[in-house]
Amino acid sequence: MAEENVPSKDHWLSIGEIAHRSGVAASALRFYEDQGLIGSRRTAGNQRQYQRSTLRRIAFVQAAQRVGLALAEIREALDSLPDDRTPTRSDWSRLSKTWRSRLDERILELERLRDDLDGCIGCGCLSLQRCNLYNKSDRLAERGPGARILNVGIPGE
């Protein structure tokens, strides 16, 4: 007699089935598992099997990545859920509210980047004296690594 809380065999899918259904490569699924984002069990033949509900967790990970969250942040969010429970609509709403300010910042950054690049493309960089991106004598190196001018106004910069 099977335990009451153990899913039936029909609820378990192979890594190939999960990859096919989710559209995520098997190598990415193994990586997600290594990162603690999803879990599996092993068969007697040491093959990975995933609960069907893992598909929702993978969709959650993909949506969070599109928002721009790091895998560590996604894992932290998933860890805030009870064990072995996939995110519900209510969970997603609660977690996504904490990401709203990050989305707003990212939108502003992308708008600034779009506007600055539009101006740069418009001038064709024919006038290095007026170009906002020109870095004579590498003077911006003192301000740290990365695209320092493009990063102006971005929190943490």
Side-chain angles (χ1 to χ4, degrees), residues 28-46:
L29 294 172
R30 287 188 291 274
F31 178 74
Y32 285 175
E33 191 171 346
D34 290 343
Q35 296 300 307
L37 301 170
I38 61 175
S40 69
R41 72 176 185 184
R42 297 294 184 129
T43 65
N46 204 29

Side-chain angles (χ1 to χ4, degrees), residues 47-128:
Q47 295 176 328
R48 285 180 167 93
Q49 285 188 327
Y50 298 88
Q51 289 185 18
R52 186 178 307 279
S53 60
T54 301
L55 290 167
R56 186 174 296 158
R57 210 170 255 269
I58 293 166
F60 183 91
V61 170
Q62 291 177 310
Q65 285 181 304
R66 285 189 198 117
V67 169
L69 295 178
L71 291 180
E73 294 171 296
I74 298 168
R75 181 179 53 250
E76 184 179 317
L78 290 171
D79 285 348
S80 74
L81 302 174
D83 289 342
D84 297 326
R85 183 170 72 73
T86 57
T88 63
R89 182 182 306 244
S90 173
D91 293 327
W92 176 248
S93 178
R94 177 180 49 84
L95 294 174
S96 65
K97 283 179 185 175
T98 65
W99 302 332
R100 181 173 289 280
S101 64
R102 162 152 296 137
L103 276 172
D104 291 340
E105 290 170 8
R106 190 157 184 222
I107 289 167
L108 287 173
E109 178 183 347
L110 288 170
E111 286 174 343
R112 246 191 60 259
L113 182 61
R114 177 203 61 209
D115 295 345
D116 288 349
L117 287 178
D118 187 42
C120 183
I121 292 168
C123 79
C125 289
L126 297 177
S127 174
L128 292 179

Side-chain angles (χ1 to χ4, degrees), residues 120 125 127-150 152:
C120 183
C125 289
S127 174
L128 292 179
Q129 290 76 27
R130 290 188 350 217
C131 181
N132 286 334
L133 301 179
Y134 186 60
N135 184 20
K136 187 175 181 179
S137 301
D138 196 24
R139 69 185 186 280
L140 295 175
E142 297 170 5
R143 294 163 78 185
R148 305 312 302 174
I149 294 174
L150 290 177
V152 171

